Amino acid sequence: MKVIWGLVLFSVVSFAEEPTDVFGFQKFFETKPGSVSWTSEHWANGHARTFADWSDDPDDPLQWSDSRGVDGEGYKVDGEGVMQMLGVGPRFHINGQREWAPQKQFFLNTEYTAYFMRNETVGKNYGGMVVGVRSGALGHGSSGGNNCDANTYYARFRNDGRWDFEKEWKHPASYYRSGSGIGKQDPLWGGEPLPLNKWIGMKYIVYNKDESTVRLELYIDSTSNATPPGKWELVGSAEDSGKDWSGAEAGAAKIDGCKDYNGLENAFDAILKGGGVIIMRTDEDHPFYKFVSVREIDPSLPIKADSTIAIRPASRHAAKSVHEKLNIKFFDLLGRRASKR
């Protein structure tokens, strides 16, 4: 009997990750396999609602919306995709570690994307579009909490028209930097305050560059009016290797009283792990948010932007990111085509 062996060919198909998020906005890094992302898709479920501080958004399918603040006003969702912060000092936590949540996620290497609108000229200068990553759940003056749990890197598009990164180890002491260096806050709008009634996009990426260094990258979309995929420009970047950027008031070196809690004494230490929580906050104003997404990323896998995306070069004082090296278009803050610098 003649036996004829058939040749079976196996083809392995590699599926690349979609380059845009659920809202159609450009991703910069691939999502970490096995991680759980949070988005504000449930704000557009047709159910208008208000949930007060120290309660949850009943429609958040992940049950990660941990609403906190300094009063009881809370947050208003219009059911069409927009959330407004209310009260004197809203603190909206995205906490993927709550014990009753159906799925959990510790956010370490993170890509945060959101659009923000300021609707009034009130508010503290340091308020505005403010997000913090690597925070603990019980820091920042939380009731029953521990201020040594505040370990956070903030990015701020401030009401006074400046931008910065702010590092906090123990609440309320912190210190800041921008493209000009430590203790500097650079103008973002040519000396003018944060604009009113304009959708402004922020993309904030924080990841461990190596075992001792944290890298922060801050991008803005000031020209698309929240139109996918956005026109992203690099505002600035910074690196913290525990040498020159303290997370305590005015550069103080010590974190008094925190050694027994987290083993740390030196506020210059980089926040290499933190608490895994995202914080959106402001003070004494009531802005709007939409198209919010938070993803745990693989920083070794950048997603190349297409020709519609714009990313501006970083400060000459900071190391270049993979995205700064890509051959793509550049725009200024008014949306005009600009030459590469």
Side-chain angles (χ1 to χ4, degrees):
M1 177 184 294
K2 185 176 180 180
V3 179
I4 300 176
W5 291 92
L7 208 85
V8 180
L9 298 177
F10 294 92
S11 63
V12 178
V13 180
S14 177
F15 293 97
E17 180 171 346
E18 288 292 328
T20 55
D21 65 20
V22 295
F23 303 112
F25 293 98
Q26 180 69 44
K27 297 175 182 176
F28 284 9
F29 288 95
E30 291 192 14
T31 306
K32 181 180 178 180
S35 64
V36 183
S37 301
W38 186 94
T39 79
S40 62
E41 289 176 280
H42 55 280
W43 293 353
N45 65 357
H47 177 211
R49 57 200 183 272
T50 298
F51 52 101
D53 289 323
W54 308 101
S55 67
D56 301 337
D57 181 352
D59 292 4
D60 182 347
L62 290 173
Q63 300 180 36
W64 293 1
S65 298
D66 187 7
S67 41
R68 297 171 178 267
V70 300
D71 56 22
E73 294 297 320
Y75 313 88
K76 182 178 180 180
V77 176
D78 67 358
E80 298 180 2
V82 177
M83 180 269 282
Q84 183 179 20
M85 291 183 162
L86 306 175
V88 175
R91 307 288 187 266
F92 188 93
H93 291 203
I94 301 171
N95 183 358
Q97 300 159 81
R98 308 175 90 188
E99 61 182 26
W100 56 85
Q103 294 177 285
K104 294 180 172 57
Q105 179 63 48
F106 185 101
F107 287 108
L108 179 67
N109 299 318
T110 306
E111 182 171 329
Y112 167 91
T113 308
Y115 281 81
F116 163 99
M117 180 185 288
R118 186 186 188 198
N119 68 323
E120 53 192 357
T121 57
V122 299
K124 296 291 188 182
N125 281 341
Y126 55 78
M129 189 175 192
V130 182
V131 63
V133 303
R134 300 195 174 183
S135 175
L138 298 176
H140 310 283
S142 295
S143 176
N146 187 327
N147 283 337
C148 292
D149 194 35
N151 32 242
T152 306
Y153 287 113
Y154 285 105
R156 302 190 291 190
F157 294 160
R158 294 163 46 108
N159 283 328
D160 61 7
R162 298 180 179 274
W163 76 271
D164 63 10
F165 298 119
E166 184 184 33
K167 178 183 176 182
E168 181 175 11
W169 261 120
K170 180 184 179 181
H171 187 74
S174 62
Y175 209 49
Y176 51 85
R177 70 181 300 167
S178 65
S180 297
I182 307 295
K184 304 292 185 180
Q185 293 165 327
D186 291 345
L188 185 60
W189 306 98
E192 297 297 319
L194 189 66
L196 297 180
N197 303 315
K198 179 182 179 71
W199 284 111
I200 298 167
M202 175 190 285
K203 186 177 285 288
Y204 182 35
I205 303 173
V206 178
Y207 58 90
N208 288 350
K209 181 179 177 181
D210 53 43
E211 62 183 12
S212 63
T213 305
V214 180
R215 181 168 174 85
L216 294 78
E217 300 176 11
L218 181 61
Y219 300 83
I220 191 170
D221 173 10
S222 64
T223 61
S224 81
N225 199 34
T227 303
K231 292 183 178 179
W232 298 101
E233 305 169 90
L234 182 65
V235 175
S237 56
E239 293 185 359
D240 183 12
S241 58
K243 297 177 181 178
D244 61 355
W245 181 11
S246 172
E249 193 71 32
K254 295 294 181 181
I255 315 173
D256 297 335
C258 290
K259 183 177 181 180
D260 291 341
Y261 177 74
N262 56 26
L264 293 170
E265 290 184 294
N266 192 338
F268 283 95
D269 288 339
I271 304 172
L272 291 165
K273 183 177 180 181
V277 175
I278 311 298
I279 297 179
M280 297 161 53
R281 56 166 288 176
T282 191
D283 286 273
E284 299 184 13
D285 54 350
H286 310 104
F288 298 90
Y289 278 86
K290 66 178 178 180
F291 301 146
V292 183
S293 68
V294 184
R295 296 183 300 112
E296 182 71 3
I297 60 170
D298 183 340
S300 70
L301 296 175
I303 296 175
K304 185 171 182 178
D306 65 31
S307 60
T308 66
I309 310 301
I311 305 174
R312 170 169 270 182
S315 163
R316 64 182 180 276
H317 301 296
K320 289 185 179 294
S321 75
V322 290
H323 294 283
E324 294 161 50
K325 299 175 183 177
L326 297 179
N327 182 24
I328 53 182
K329 297 178 182 178
F330 295 86
F331 295 79
D332 64 16
L333 285 174
L334 297 176
R336 299 171 301 195
R337 186 72 179 272
S339 61
K340 186 173 180 179
R341 296 187 301 179

